[in-house]
Amino acid sequence: MARLAQTAGLTDVQSEILATVRQFVDKEVIPHAQELEHADAYPTDIVEGMKEMGLFGITVPEEYGGLGESLLTYALVVEEIARGWMSVSGVINTHFIVAHMISRHGTEAQKRHFLPRMATGEVRGSFSMSEPDLGSDVAAIKTRAKRTDDGYVIDGSKMWLTNGGSSNLIALLVKTDEGAEKPHQNLTTFLVEKPEGFGEVAPGLTIPGKIDKMGYKGVDTTEAVFDGYRIGADMVLGEAPGKGFAYMMDGVEVGRVNVAARACGIAIRAFELAVEYAQQRKTFGKAIAEHQAIAFKLAEMATKVEAAHLMMVNAARLKDSGARNDVEAGMAKLIASEYCAEVTQDAFRIHGGYGYSKEYEIERLMREAPFLLIGEGTSEIQKTIISRGLLREYKSRS
């Protein structure tokens, strides 16, 4: 058992789940990740394996056919999967966020309609807030849903949908006319069912195609264009117009824990590759791990891995307890993504010229790690969230 990134206080069930997932990653993910990633090929067989293990329903309540496990269990599973290949964790990340939002905020009819099929992976979710010109200003969303006699009509363009083509359910945040003074209270989340695939997948809904990315290959990232798309009022999440922003932010909080977990997974793998290579590669008559410059670098890398893992675990446990964790999730996401980039670059440097070769796994990690600096909010957004939370808690009494 590796020393780093161990989690105290796990149940026997949690330990068994993680051991099973690690074995799956070592046998079914890592040996195939390079070939699939370089081909930008969807990991169909790996996804089928995750379905069989019940990972798509890991947090879905047992009464709806899931495993009913905690956010901590899920985050530790994601850490293991991302250690193998980050794109595979991306397949279940947005799905998990949507399942969480339906479990927490959906009507009973919505829960019974979606959750049992989400638990098996028959229904797979994607998550859509961003727009082509939006950036981090979610309240400035332009995509609009107008009320009609029998539901809503949606018009506008959304951007950066992970699993946009391979999913058949989108949690979609759009603007509605609720008459509220605050912009975020005029935002509503819809549950949009659609066929898988690209092109005009439904009347008024087009998924143009995959966005070509530097890394994060295999998983499809897309746009979604709505042009007169009709949807029933019963597909408003919780049948609560105007509460979509709050529901999405709840989803983003668990998403930030997830991104932190993915960053930990990549950092763990980068360290594993570096520490193995450093003991095999010899210069000046001895392994480079015996040179103090490399030994100290390994020590710093391991410390960063451990710190990021502990903060991620803390944020997950807080959310599981029912406590507010916006600051802690922001801190975990911030430090884990930044440390991941640093640890991966250090591993790349330890590999020397070989790190630049596509034959070596570290080259892939170098292209994947930067995504985590952006996903679920940039580092600057995390600092904004953290500072606001701290100022709220430490408000001056003078």
Side-chain angles (χ1 to χ4, degrees):
M1 178 66 72
R3 179 182 180 87
L4 288 182
Q6 297 303 298
T7 309
L10 296 181
T11 65
D12 290 342
V13 171
Q14 288 174 315
S15 297
E16 184 177 344
I17 290 172
L18 292 176
T20 301
V21 173
R22 175 173 276 265
Q23 185 179 39
F24 175 77
V25 168
D26 286 340
K27 290 186 176 181
E28 305 297 335
V29 180
I30 290 176
H32 306 291
Q34 289 292 92
E35 181 181 354
L36 290 169
E37 199 273 345
H38 290 164
D40 197 8
Y42 189 78
T44 302
D45 291 343
I46 294 173
V47 170
E48 289 302 315
M50 292 196 297
K51 282 184 183 179
E52 291 177 11
M53 288 192 291
L55 296 186
F56 282 92
I58 194 166
T59 62
V60 172
E62 290 181 292
E63 63 183 296
Y64 300 107
L67 298 179
E69 276 294 327
S70 63
L71 173 60
L72 174 62
T73 306
Y74 177 77
L76 294 174
V77 166
V78 167
E79 183 181 61
E80 292 288 356
I81 293 174
R83 171 182 159 268
W85 183 17
M86 185 183 76
S87 293
V88 177
S89 67
V91 171
I92 59 173
N93 174 38
T94 53
H95 172 87
F96 162 71
I97 293 174
V98 178
H100 170 83
M101 290 168 61
I102 294 173
S103 296
R104 286 283 298 273
H105 308 295
T107 64
E108 185 59 31
Q110 289 168 349
K111 292 176 184 178
R112 296 203 176 278
H113 180 67
F114 289 113
L115 291 179
R117 292 180 297 142
M118 295 187 82
T120 63
E122 177 189 349
V123 170
R124 300 215 297 273
S126 57
F127 178 83
S128 178
M129 288 195 302
S130 188
E131 296 183 359
D133 300 319
L134 188 62
S136 300
D137 187 6
V138 178
I141 279 175
K142 296 177 182 177
T143 300
R144 183 178 295 274
K146 292 185 178 180
R147 198 74 160 91
T148 65
D149 292 338
D150 59 349
Y152 292 83
V153 176
I154 301 176
D155 291 285
S157 297
K158 308 298 282 188
M159 192 71 171
W160 306 118
L161 280 76
T162 300
N163 301 314
S166 55
S167 66
N168 44 20
L169 173 64
I170 304 173
L172 178 75
L173 186 65
V174 301
K175 183 175 290 186
T176 52
D177 296 317
E178 307 303 326
E181 293 183 7
K182 296 180 178 180
H184 69 273
Q185 292 177 345
N186 291 303
L187 297 175
T188 298
T189 297
F190 286 86
L191 300 172
V192 178
E193 294 186 89
K194 70 173 187 65
E196 298 175 26
F198 300 95
E200 188 173 4
V201 295
L205 172 55
T206 299
I207 307 295
K210 294 199 301 184
I211 298 170
D212 194 16
K213 309 181 296 288
M214 176 177 76
Y216 204 22
K217 303 283 189 177
V219 63
D220 48 292
T221 304
T222 74
E223 300 176 66
V225 180
F226 294 85
D227 184 10
Y229 179 80
R230 293 185 173 275
I231 189 168
D234 60 335
M235 288 296 102
V236 171
L237 179 60
E239 294 189 0
K243 293 187 178 180
F245 180 80
Y247 295 165
M248 282 279 182
M249 289 305 102
D250 180 35
V252 166
E253 279 187 14
V254 298
R256 285 179 179 137
V257 174
N258 175 282
V259 171
R262 283 199 271 178
C264 289
I266 290 180
I268 291 167
R269 186 58 180 163
F271 176 80
E272 288 175 349
L273 295 171
V275 75
E276 181 178 8
Y277 184 83
Q279 294 175 82
Q280 295 173 349
R281 174 70 168 168
K282 289 183 169 58
T283 61
F284 304 103
K286 59 183 178 180
I288 62 173
E290 297 178 32
H291 295 290
Q292 190 177 71
I294 301 299
F296 281 10
K297 193 177 291 292
L298 291 170
E300 292 170 358
M301 292 164 67
T303 302
K304 289 175 181 178
V305 168
E306 191 73 2
H309 174 82
L310 290 171
M311 292 194 73
M312 178 271 290
V313 167
N314 179 60
R317 281 182 161 150
L318 271 176
K319 188 74 172 178
D320 282 332
S321 74
R324 186 171 183 175
N325 82 331
D326 55 336
V327 170
E328 290 78 10
M331 286 178 169
K333 195 275 178 183
L334 171 65
I335 199 168
S337 61
E338 293 286 350
Y339 277 177
C340 174
E342 292 172 13
V343 169
T344 302
Q345 187 172 86
D346 283 341
F348 171 77
R349 292 183 176 188
I350 286 172
H351 279 76
Y354 288 107
Y356 208 63
S357 168
K358 283 185 175 288
E359 293 182 18
Y360 281 72
E361 195 175 335
I362 191 62
E363 180 272 340
R364 170 170 59 82
L365 302 187
M366 277 291 291
R367 289 184 287 104
E368 291 178 340
F371 169 76
L372 299 172
L373 298 170
I374 302 166
E376 308 296 358
T378 63
S379 291
E380 289 71 27
I381 287 295
Q382 307 312 316
K383 292 173 185 177
T384 299
I385 293 166
I386 294 164
S387 61
R388 285 177 179 172
L390 293 174
L391 291 170
R392 183 176 64 242
E393 293 294 326
Y394 289 87
K395 189 172 182 179
S396 174
R397 297 180 181 178
S398 59

